[in-house]
Amino acid sequence: AENIFWENPPSGEYEVSVVYYEAVGDIPQTGTCNVVVFNGEEAPNTYQLTMEAVKQRKDVTKIRIQ
């Protein structure tokens, strides 16, 4: 699991993506993951992705911060 938190980000558009960086030991090579995006006072958005391979990148969403 990874959590990224930015308290005072600059205004602009941001792209949220996931990269299945590495599988070590008995960690599965494929699987699903949930991405929850919080943007200020808006309700959080949850996205479910299926990752099929190590090093795969999937774009999730874009958000605008004012």
Side-chain angles (χ1 to χ4, degrees):
E2 184 171 335
N3 296 299
I4 299 170
F5 176 79
W6 200 351
E7 193 164 328
N8 294 307
S11 297
E13 185 172 86
Y14 292 83
E15 182 176 311
V16 179
S17 61
V18 173
V19 176
Y20 189 176
Y21 181 71
E22 183 176 36
V24 178
D26 292 336
I27 295 175
Q29 298 289 313
T30 64
T32 59
C33 63
N34 292 314
V35 178
V36 182
V37 177
F38 296 85
N39 187 1
E41 299 298 319
E42 296 177 15
N45 291 303
T46 301
Y47 306 88
Q48 188 172 66
L49 308 171
T50 300
M51 304 302 285
E52 290 95 16
V54 175
K55 303 296 183 197
Q56 177 184 28
R57 175 190 170 124
K58 284 201 174 178
D59 295 333
V60 178
T61 190
K62 291 182 181 179
I63 61 171
R64 175 156 291 286
I65 296 181
Q66 302 298 331

